[in-house]
């Protein structure tokens, strides 16, 4: 009930959509669980869920953006995984309505993930001592606070630079500022969504659920394919388990593997949005992964490592620019500023780079430092240390101060 109240505060008009989806999926789940492995029932309920998702995405894009229920991409994927796990026998007992509804609408995750599996959800029923309960509350509060800091102290302030670049006009920025903008947007997106994931995971831990690792230091990856196993890991594993492997994975030869990867990345692009930039983003990631799999992996070790790091640290930020700019003409203009030999000269406004580094340099430096896995691991491994506890306490009040003096930006993945 509390999760539904939470959702209603955010999107009261679309609350009936969520309730309807919960009821439909629950009754189909009971039928599926009682029918053995009935492929028709599974296909039909998955079809209903997919149609609902596609319909609202198209309505929000071509009719009115208010037709998009908050978090529909996330709770629909939870519903599909739930039905598939039932069919495969991974959910042993007939699910009760209260458990099913709580899983679908769990308030830390319903609007922006991560996409928890039902098997992980059931683990909150495990018996724990009073000491374990208080330790989980302490851990959860610390994860929540660190995530809040990433959001309000880094992502929201880095967003100002990206917004300023859009206000100036892409045609009026220098090439160095265009590259700074690409890096800044990449950091903003990462800190925003990693921050939300830590906050959601922290609340989940306090409620007795297992910690869901949604971001596993993706910028430390040695390839783009590894990057997307670490970036939004719950979504990546969802596509692996419920799309890629059922299509045959890599078991049916190279051509079929390429086709399966194409389907996965077409759906991934559409999942994020129906505008051309999201489809283009997905197709570029698909091409990079195919090249890595069939060309780069055959190269000598050092060269393979070098190309892999370039792909992660250079190509990934460039793909985020495509992700960020829905207008094709504006996107083309931005890329002429990134690569001025395709358009105007490098020095449209030669002083803009130094000016913005002076304003945002410290924030960007902090964001870059947080890309190093060891930095976060210090907090994770020593989070019960008194010094870390004091630091988290100070961080919390810094977040409160920042929130009190800013309008606040919604989490970027709320739009999906």
């Amino acid at each position: 009930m509390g999760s539904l109240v939470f959702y209603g505060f955010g999107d009261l008009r679309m609350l009936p959509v969520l309730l309807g989806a919960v009821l439909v999926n629950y009754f189909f789940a009971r039928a599926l669980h009682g029918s053995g492995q009935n492929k028709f029932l599974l296909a039909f309920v998955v079809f209903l869920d997919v149609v609902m998702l596609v319909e609202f995405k198209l309505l929000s894009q071509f009719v009115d953006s208010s037709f998009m229920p908050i978090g529909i991409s996330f709770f629909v994927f939870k519903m599909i995984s739930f039905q598939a796990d039932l069919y495969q026998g991974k959910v042993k007992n007939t699910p009760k309505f209260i458990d099913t509804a709580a899983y679908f609408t769990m308030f830390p995750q319903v609007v922006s993930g991560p996409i928890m599996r039902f098997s992980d959800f059931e683990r909150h029923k495990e018996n724990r001592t009073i000491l374990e309960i208080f330790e989980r509350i302490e851990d959860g509060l610390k994860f929540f606070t660190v995530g809040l800091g990433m959001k309000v102290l880094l992502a929201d302030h880095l967003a100002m630079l990206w917004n300023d670049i859009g206000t100036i006009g892409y045609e009026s920025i220098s090439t160095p500022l265009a590259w700074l903008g690409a890096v800044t947007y990449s950091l903003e997106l990462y800190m925003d969504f990693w921050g939300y994931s830590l906050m959601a995971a922290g609340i989940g831990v306090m409620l007795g659920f297992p910690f869901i690792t949604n971001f596993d230091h993706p910028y430390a990856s040695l390839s783009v394919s590894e990057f997307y196993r670490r970036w939004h890991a719950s979504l990546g594993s969802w596509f692996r388990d419920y799309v890629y492997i059922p299509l045959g994975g890599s078991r049916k030869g190279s051509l079929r593997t390429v086709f399966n990867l194409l389907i996965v990345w077409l759906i991934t692009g559409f999942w994020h949005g129906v505008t051309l930039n999201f489809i283009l983003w997905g197709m570029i990631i698909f091409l990079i992964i195919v090249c890595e799999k069939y060309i780069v992996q055959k190269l000598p070790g050092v060269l393979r490592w070098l190309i892999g790091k370039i792909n992660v640290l250079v190509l990934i930020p460039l793909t985020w620019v495509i992700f960020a700019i829905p207008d094709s003409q504006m996107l083309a203009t931005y890329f002429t500023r990134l690569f001025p030999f395709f358009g105007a000269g490098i020095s449209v406004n030669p002083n803009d780079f130094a000016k913005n580094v002076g304003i945002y340099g410290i924030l960007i430096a902090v964001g870059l430092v947080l890309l190093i896995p060891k930095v976060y691991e210090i907090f994770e491994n020593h989070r019960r240390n008194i010094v870390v506890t004091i630091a988290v306490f100070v961080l919390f009040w810094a977040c409160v101060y920042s929130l009190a003096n800013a309008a606040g930006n919604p989490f970027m993945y709320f739009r999906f």
Side-chain angles (χ1 to χ4, degrees), residues 70-87:
I70 293 176
I72 186 171
S73 297
F74 293 95
F75 67 70
V76 165
F77 271 25
K78 288 178 78 172
M79 291 169 178
I80 292 173
S81 70
F82 178 69
Q83 302 293 351
D85 288 350
L86 269 173
Y87 174 80

Side-chain angles (χ1 to χ4, degrees), residues 236-345:
S237 64
W238 190 98
F239 276 109
R240 180 197 64 209
D241 295 342
Y242 303 110
V243 180
Y244 182 67
I245 291 176
L247 286 173
S250 58
R251 303 187 305 274
K252 298 185 178 182
S254 298
L255 286 178
R256 183 59 181 269
T257 299
V258 171
F259 174 77
N260 293 342
L261 288 170
L262 173 65
I263 296 300
V264 165
W265 283 101
L266 270 174
I267 298 173
T268 302
F270 183 83
W271 183 87
H272 284 89
V274 298
T275 52
L276 180 61
N277 66 307
F278 290 117
I279 307 303
L280 178 61
W281 167 79
M283 290 301 91
I284 290 174
I285 297 298
F286 157 72
L287 289 173
I288 295 172
I289 289 175
V290 169
C291 289
E292 286 182 342
K293 188 174 183 67
Y294 294 104
I295 299 175
V296 177
Q297 287 301 312
K298 293 180 169 55
L299 297 175
V302 174
L303 185 57
R304 183 171 66 245
W305 177 88
L306 179 61
I307 293 174
K309 294 306 290 185
I310 290 173
N311 286 350
V312 170
L313 299 179
V314 179
L315 293 188
I316 287 293
L318 292 177
T319 62
W320 288 138
V321 173
I322 299 170
F323 187 90
I325 304 175
D327 184 275
S328 299
Q329 186 174 353
M330 294 173 67
L331 180 60
T333 300
Y334 199 96
F335 269 84
T336 63
R337 302 310 311 130
L338 288 166
F339 302 98
F341 37 85
F342 289 128

